[in-house]
Amino acid sequence: MGGEACAIPEEGYVAALNNTGFIRFYEFWMSASVGTPSQAATNIDQLANAVYEAQTLRIPLMMRAYAESVNGTADLRFKISAFLVAQAEYCYFGYSSGWYDSDWSWHQEYDRVYGKPLSGAVSLDRAKGQWRREFEHCEVWVDVTARVGEIRWRQ
């Protein structure tokens, strides 16, 4: 989605794997620095591509989000909201400041029960990277350009 054309279209690559077990790994999920339109566009394309891979091609995904200390909880909420918009069966999320054991910690968001998805991801504004998705127990909304994510819990 954007950038240089792939040597093999993604659908062809998935078909060539012929049901071989693999997982798509996003090492820096939603972590392109923001400040220029091209940096925001990287994250916008990353989310759109992950939605397509997980929900259309049914590719398992692993999103490892870099814990940026600037916004703390807001940063985690943004990145986990983007993950929830994209995720499908066999998709996983991790949030850390590095790769050593001491760089990882448990967050209360991991214990929340979001419920089953009631819909696929809905693009509200592709240019800004605004998406939403309904789950049994909440609605998730994300604005990639503003780096904001919200999880609205049902009563």
Side-chain angles (χ1 to χ4, degrees), residues 10-78:
E10 192 162 17
E11 294 85 352
Y13 179 72
V14 171
L17 288 171
N18 195 22
N19 296 319
T20 301
F22 77 101
I23 189 166
R24 169 80 147 98
F25 184 66
Y26 287 89
E27 184 172 1
F28 292 100
W29 178 246
M30 296 289 108
S31 294
S33 298
V34 174
T36 68
S38 65
Q39 291 167 325
T42 297
N43 289 334
I44 289 168
D45 287 346
Q46 185 181 61
L47 180 54
N49 193 62
V51 167
Y52 176 69
E53 288 175 334
Q55 296 179 26
T56 302
L57 299 179
R58 302 286 187 225
I59 297 172
L61 307 178
M62 170 61 208
M63 280 84 154
R64 183 269 180 171
Y66 180 72
E68 298 179 44
S69 61
V70 178
N71 292 325
T73 303
D75 180 61
L76 173 59
R77 188 178 316 112
F78 163 63

Side-chain angles (χ1 to χ4, degrees), residues 3 37 49 58 69-70 95 100 119 125-126 136 139 141:
N49 193 62
R58 302 286 187 225
S69 61
V70 178
Y95 187 78
Y100 296 104
S119 69
D125 185 328
R126 173 67 171 89
E136 287 177 318
E139 178 182 7
W141 176 83

